[in-house]
Amino acid sequence: MFKFTRFFATKATPQREPIPGSHQVPNSAGGFTWRVDDWARLDRFLILGSEGGTYYISEHKLTVENAEAVRRCITADGVRTVDRIVAISDAGRAPRNDPAIFALAMAAKLGDERTRRAAYAALPKVCRIGTHLMHFADYAQGFGGWGRGMRKAVGAWFNAKPAADLAFQLAKYQSRDGWSNRDLLRLAHPRAASPSHDRLFAWAVKGELPEAAADDPALALIVAMAELAKTTDVKAAAKLIRDARIPRECVPTQLLVHAEIWDALAAAMPMTAMIRNLATMTRVGLIAPGSAATRRIAEQLTDARRLAGARVHPIAVLAALLTYRSGHGARGGGTWSPVAQIADALDTAFYASFGFVEAAGKRMLLALDVSGSMGCGAIAGVPNLTPRIGSAAMALVTAATERSSTFVAFSTELTTLSISPRQRLDDVVAEVERLPMGGTDCALPMLWAQQNRVDVDTFCVYTDNETWAGSVHPAQALRAYRDARGIPAKLVVVGMTSNGFSIADPDDAGMLDVVGFDTATPPVIADFARA
Ligand code: CA
């Protein structure tokens, strides 16, 4: 007999050909996968951005593809798009806020009347600090000028803040990326909401202390900064910083070499700033083995409530841990001797930053794609943070809550891994980095489990979906596994780049697409596995 099914069958199709009747499209690697819809693409972009591109797709092309998807979402349902931007930005689900700010600027400039109104109304929720507002102004300029809606919204951003909060914003973020408060206030030209606002606007525009500043409690920080600028005595400067809660950005550079100054700054330092300045605080000697400051800072870093309140993203913690342990900055910044207590605290903080995830209590196979393409790119612009390292970190979070989870890594071969969340995160990263790279066959986790009679309720595959090398598609391998083992196994595809592909069959309710580095991903995986 002539074996027609060798060339045309729905149960087993080589990955370089589409499953017949499936609407699969070619991915960047020459394999066939499904295309994620524009709303899923919007989520991927909001969480992963497009900075640095991927192994296959240039930064330029990836940015255009994602922005086009955002534009289509705005056209299809602008208000829904704005709601989605707010939901992801406001909950701190993304490692960086810039994709959300960019998408909001597009909605404000390209949307219909209702969408524009919704976008401007959402401005304070998405642009929470001065830097965000400056980035919004910059992005918006790419799509239009300063119309009435824009002027009103930016003016309202300044006026809606209580005067003392506004003073802090104006002082801390005076200018960023070619924009200053002076530019924004001149363009928006808001009528001041109060005499204090009026004085603050005047200070931001002219740079001089306005009259009666000393008598206005809302301007206390501005007055203290002016005094600090004249202070050369370190002790007196430290006292001023402590009393007026002056942030680091407002402290003259020559003072920032003293441990005493950093001790004063640390007292009121927000969590994200603390995480970013650990190396500096170590270099100046404030953080030292066994010091009181080290103990205090380590306690703060591991305080789950404070981490949640400050919306600290696990990627920020992971990046800090990798840099801190290395003892030298990625882009200069000198060297330091890392203190173990702080590295330990960051390890704890990483898991804590996801919040509490209730275990699904299912048998899980956590499969890391370690093919060559996963070693390329910098997630959220963090140097050396590749999708490969990021996958391991994300998988560890699920492993930390699910007792019966097994780790495997695959390219065109599969390796079982003996890593566990009881190990230090950076040790796991080092172990994963040592694994050999190769081609990509995302069907291997299912094929391996079937061959080795491993019972799995939920497969979690961490990948860029650029699969091509196998003789059967991952979705087909999953269906074969279900039949062979009699387990209605599910597949969660954790997308680690913002490309438009997925190995998950959209018509199979047992397969789900989620975005890597979304802080909502571990609870979503647990819910899906439990259902
Ligand atoms: Ca690959």
Side-chain angles (χ1 to χ4, degrees), residues 432-478:
V432 170
E433 272 183 313
R434 278 195 299 270
L435 292 168
M437 301 189 185
T440 316
D441 179 1
C442 288
L444 281 178
M446 281 69 74
L447 295 175
W448 172 84
Q450 184 178 337
Q451 223 162 48
N452 294 279
R453 298 166 187 278
V454 179
D455 287 340
V456 177
D457 298 308
T458 305
F459 293 89
C460 293
V461 179
Y462 300 78
T463 181
D464 58 6
N465 291 290
E466 302 282 19
T467 193
W468 55 271
S471 57
V472 49
H473 281 267
Q476 294 171 324
L478 177 68

Side-chain angles (χ1 to χ4, degrees), residues 5-311:
T5 49
R6 232 181 86 209
F7 303 111
F8 199 86
T10 54
K11 278 183 86 169
T13 317
Q15 290 175 16
R16 284 175 177 284
E17 288 167 30
I19 300 174
S22 70
H23 305 292
Q24 282 188 320
V25 296
N27 63 21
S28 320
F32 278 78
T33 43
W34 281 275
R35 185 180 288 293
V36 297
D37 71 16
D38 286 336
W39 297 102
R41 192 87 197 255
L42 173 68
D43 282 5
R44 283 190 183 184
F45 175 63
L46 291 174
I47 289 156
L48 300 168
S50 62
E51 209 175 325
T54 74
Y55 177 81
Y56 293 102
I57 311 169
S58 72
E59 181 176 78
H60 179 152
K61 185 162 180 271
L62 191 66
T63 305
V64 172
E65 277 183 15
N66 279 303
E68 285 289 359
V70 176
R71 199 178 53 79
R72 286 192 298 271
C73 287
I74 291 170
T75 307
D77 191 340
V79 173
R80 177 180 167 189
T81 311
V82 171
D83 286 347
R84 194 69 191 149
I85 294 166
V86 172
I88 287 178
S89 172
D90 193 38
R93 285 170 55 181
R96 290 184 72 183
N97 199 29
D98 276 354
I101 298 171
F102 171 72
L104 189 71
M106 279 180 76
K109 287 290 165 190
L110 306 179
D112 58 18
E113 191 51 39
R114 263 185 79 222
T115 304
R116 286 165 188 249
R117 267 209 304 275
Y120 285 129
L123 192 63
K125 278 199 161 154
V126 176
C127 298
R128 297 178 289 272
I129 60 171
T131 305
H132 296 163
L133 188 65
M134 291 172 201
H135 287 185
F136 179 81
D138 194 70
Y139 294 142
Q141 218 169 33
F143 302 102
W146 278 73
R148 200 170 151 268
M150 178 91 177
R151 286 202 305 273
K152 234 177 93 184
V154 172
W157 190 94
F158 287 103
N159 268 327
K161 292 202 186 303
D165 293 356
L166 180 64
F168 181 80
Q169 290 294 326
L170 292 177
K172 186 171 177 181
Y173 312 102
Q174 295 181 25
S175 63
R176 289 288 187 284
D177 303 302
W179 284 84
S180 65
N181 287 315
R182 185 167 180 259
D183 301 330
L184 294 175
L185 285 166
R186 282 187 155 183
L187 285 162
H189 206 70
R191 185 198 298 262
S194 76
S196 295
H197 282 81
D198 195 42
R199 288 181 199 112
L200 285 167
F201 291 175
W203 177 75
V205 172
K206 296 185 198 128
E208 298 160 10
L209 272 184
E211 268 179 58
D215 305 324
D216 187 342
L219 271 73
L221 175 65
I222 312 282
V223 173
M225 273 171 61
E227 209 177 318
L228 183 65
K230 294 180 290 190
T231 311
T232 46
D233 179 57
V234 175
K235 234 184 197 66
K239 185 172 180 335
L240 250 174
I241 291 168
R242 210 180 279 273
D243 292 349
R245 303 169 73 90
I246 300 177
R248 199 231 351 129
E249 287 82 351
C250 304
V251 176
T253 327
Q254 69 269 18
L255 285 173
L256 292 173
V257 295
H258 303 287
E260 217 172 332
I261 296 291
W262 281 97
D263 199 22
L265 284 169
M269 196 179 277
M271 200 67 152
T272 42
M274 177 92 68
I275 288 169
R276 233 179 288 135
N277 286 299
L278 290 169
T280 307
M281 291 192 282
T282 305
R283 210 169 46 228
V284 300
L286 178 65
I287 294 176
S291 80
T294 304
R295 216 167 29 248
R296 226 170 32 237
I297 291 167
E299 258 166 37
Q300 289 190 19
L301 288 175
T302 51
D303 183 336
R305 265 222 318 268
R306 278 193 64 167
L307 284 164
R311 289 183 264 232

Side-chain angles (χ1 to χ4, degrees), residues 489-524:
K490 296 173 182 172
L491 169 65
V492 182
V493 180
V494 189
M496 304 307 296
T497 65
S498 64
N499 67 16
F501 310 114
S502 177
I503 56 170
D505 182 347
D507 294 326
D508 186 323
M511 301 189 205
L512 177 74
D513 251 306
V514 294
V515 188
F517 300 115
D518 182 346
T519 49
T521 285
V524 167

Side-chain angles (χ1 to χ4, degrees), residues 54-56 368-377 386-388 410-412 435-441 463-464 466 468:
T54 74
Y55 177 81
Y56 293 102
L368 311 177
D369 177 349
V370 293
S371 67
S373 62
M374 293 290 282
C376 186
T386 57
R388 182 180 168 109
F410 66 90
S411 50
T412 41
L435 292 168
M437 301 189 185
T440 316
D441 179 1
T463 181
D464 58 6
E466 302 282 19
W468 55 271

